[in-house]
Amino acid sequence: MDLMDKELKDQLARDPFKRHGFDDRLRRQIEERLDEPVRKRRDVFRLGWRSSGIALAAMLLVLAAVWAWKGPDIRPLAGDGEESLLVTASGEQTEPAPLEAGEAVASALLVGLRNEESGGNGSSYRTVLIAPDRGKLAVVAEGGGILMPYKQDFWKIEPVKTRSGGSLRLIAYNAENGSAPKSAQSLSAERSSVNEKLLYVGNQYVSLAQLRGSEDGSAVREYRFVKTVEQLAADSLRPDSDPAAESHVAFEELFADRKVGKGADALRQAQTEQWSIVRQPGQWVGVKFAGSTSLKPVDAASAEPVGTELPETVVKSDRLAVSWEDILRLEPAAEDAFTSPNGDLLAVVLQNAIDIYPYKQKDAAQQKLTLELAPAESVIMVQWAASESYVESWKERVSAILEGS
């Protein structure tokens, strides 16, 4: 072994230095210095990671809030005020909903109209169904005659000329379970002409005026009857019936099942045989005439209110859900108005038109539907379907009947 190696080995075998050597204190100081910069770098890294994470989370929250506020990405393809398609985030194109936000329209209007201008051939009639269709109000069906809902079916009322051509009689029949009877058309020549005209149709009753010419043609006598639709159907089968034998409903019979006071009892005893249901602005009213307690001709010019409100068995949903002040603000030229039972449709009658509004929509004035009227056309029937299921049923059934007639 080399001497130098031997000395080095002997030194290493000795105890550590006693003073200022590599003792435990120095070792700890060195280790602390070595660890210190590493800890600082680690803390800085942790702080940076946390700050970046917070910033990223905040950014995501802002983007989510903006998306929720704007909703899905729906952008108009045309400028403001133009009818356009809408494109969704998926790229699917859809038509815009014409009705503004608000309660959806759940009603349909079946209106019956009488036209006095028919070339001297008596009155003519038409029925129009107005209902929501693909998001907006539309005329869904239209046809001649009066189509009325009665019980579970629709009945048709229409004028028919007799074989002699001297009379225009009204016939009624179940339009879904039968066809128009031919008996009225094949009646033999009457002793006098009879011209019947509808004044009101609703629920189960019809009001009509009956003009009868004398046998010698020197005078015309007028009668006013209210009948059930079934009575009208039965009477149309009888040739040239005597007015005294006409089926009809006396006004007091409407209240036969009511407990009434003495005044009403006295009225009941009077038996108002001839009376009419006519329209006044905002409501249907009953009127009587001089001679109403008999079955003799009446003077139509002597009409006066019966003084008792018509029951719901005669007229349903006959109360306006909108004040006249609001109606006149909307339509200053309004002559009459009707509202659906749930108030979602308002029909305003003008001189030559009916404006129908989805009244509960925010933009109802811009969503109205206008039904044009002939100069001598007037409303004689207003019937409502007041639920979504009935609306869809009416659309299908009324269309089938009117389009097939």
Side-chain angles (χ1 to χ4, degrees):
M1 177 181 292
D2 192 287
L3 178 60
M4 185 177 291
D5 292 338
K6 185 177 183 303
E7 289 178 355
L8 180 59
K9 182 177 180 180
D10 292 340
Q11 290 177 3
L12 291 173
R14 297 173 189 165
D15 292 334
F17 297 114
K18 298 297 181 183
R19 296 183 58 187
H20 309 297
F22 189 84
D23 58 8
D24 291 338
R25 182 178 60 81
L26 180 59
R27 180 175 54 80
R28 286 196 300 270
Q29 289 180 353
I30 294 172
E31 288 177 350
E32 287 174 0
R33 292 290 181 91
L34 291 173
D35 289 339
E36 184 176 340
V38 174
R39 287 195 197 101
K40 288 181 180 180
R41 286 193 299 271
R42 187 181 298 163
D43 290 342
V44 170
F45 175 75
R46 286 177 180 174
L47 179 60
W49 167 252
R50 290 173 183 172
S51 300
S52 300
I54 293 172
L56 180 59
M59 185 184 303
L60 292 175
L61 287 174
V62 170
L63 290 176
V66 171
W67 185 90
W69 178 64
K70 288 186 175 182
D73 184 17
I74 301 177
R75 300 179 295 274
L77 298 181
D80 292 339
E82 297 180 12
E83 186 174 353
S84 64
L85 294 176
L86 299 181
V87 59
T88 63
S90 64
E92 179 184 359
Q93 291 184 341
T94 59
E95 290 186 1
L99 296 179
E100 296 294 329
E103 292 188 32
V105 175
S107 300
L109 167 62
L110 188 67
V111 59
L113 303 166
R114 184 188 71 237
N115 191 350
E116 293 297 290
E117 286 187 351
S118 54
N121 296 320
S123 304
S124 62
Y125 306 88
R126 67 171 172 141
T127 301
V128 182
L129 177 63
I130 297 161
D133 185 44
R134 287 176 290 185
K136 61 182 179 181
L137 293 177
V139 174
V140 176
E142 180 177 356
I146 297 296
L147 189 66
M148 65 176 289
Y150 175 56
K151 296 183 178 179
Q152 299 299 315
D153 299 312
F154 282 94
W155 283 56
K156 188 82 173 286
I157 304 173
E158 52 192 12
V160 175
K161 279 190 175 183
T162 59
R163 190 174 63 183
S164 65
S167 295
L168 191 69
R169 301 296 299 270
L170 293 167
I171 62 171
Y173 58 95
N174 189 321
E176 293 185 296
N177 297 325
S179 56
K182 303 299 181 182
S183 56
Q185 294 175 304
S186 60
L187 294 177
S188 59
E190 294 96 347
R191 292 170 297 174
S192 61
S193 64
V194 181
N195 189 350
E196 293 179 329
K197 177 172 65 175
L198 283 171
L199 306 176
Y200 166 81
V201 176
N203 200 9
Q204 59 180 314
Y205 295 96
V206 298
S207 176
L208 59 90
Q210 193 178 86
L211 300 177
R212 288 178 173 265
S214 59
E215 292 183 23
D216 59 6
S218 60
V220 175
R221 298 162 296 164
E222 185 164 355
Y223 301 84
R224 296 292 183 97
F225 295 111
V226 172
K227 304 170 180 277
T228 66
V229 66
E230 291 179 336
Q231 287 176 333
L232 179 62
D235 284 346
S236 64
L237 303 177
R238 296 203 305 262
D240 192 26
S241 60
D242 183 349
E246 288 277 345
S247 302
H248 64 281
V249 178
F251 179 75
E252 292 74 24
E253 292 180 38
L254 301 176
F255 308 94
D257 59 345
R258 289 190 183 182
K259 294 181 179 180
V260 293
K262 294 181 179 179
D265 284 336
L267 181 63
R268 179 177 297 169
Q269 293 172 4
Q271 285 296 307
T272 309
E273 304 289 349
Q274 295 190 71
W275 59 288
S276 291
I277 303 171
V278 299
R279 186 67 185 178
Q280 291 183 354
Q283 67 177 145
W284 297 101
V285 298
V287 296
K288 59 184 179 179
F289 313 91
S292 280
T293 56
S294 72
L295 291 173
K296 297 178 179 179
V298 298
D299 178 11
S302 65
E304 62 176 340
V306 294
T308 304
E309 185 177 358
L310 295 173
E312 285 200 357
T313 54
V314 180
V315 289
K316 282 187 175 180
S317 307
D318 196 35
R319 297 184 184 277
L320 289 175
V322 183
S323 69
W324 264 112
E325 290 76 11
D326 289 340
I327 292 171
L328 291 176
R329 276 195 289 267
L330 186 65
E331 295 271 14
E335 297 181 354
D336 198 359
F338 303 88
T339 53
S340 59
N342 56 25
D344 60 351
L345 286 183
L346 166 67
V348 180
V349 182
L350 308 173
Q351 185 174 6
N352 291 314
I354 302 176
D355 284 342
I356 301 97
Y357 295 86
Y359 197 70
K360 289 186 177 181
Q361 298 296 325
K362 292 182 179 179
D363 201 14
Q366 280 67 48
Q367 305 294 343
K368 73 176 180 180
L369 172 70
T370 297
L371 177 64
E372 299 293 340
L373 300 180
E377 210 167 24
S378 59
V379 177
I380 61 170
M381 180 188 76
V382 170
Q383 296 288 296
W384 299 99
S387 70
E388 187 175 347
S389 60
Y390 272 105
V391 169
E392 294 305 313
S393 174
W394 281 26
K395 287 166 66 174
E396 180 180 349
R397 296 163 66 190
V398 171
S399 296
I401 294 170
L402 293 181
E403 291 172 3
S405 60

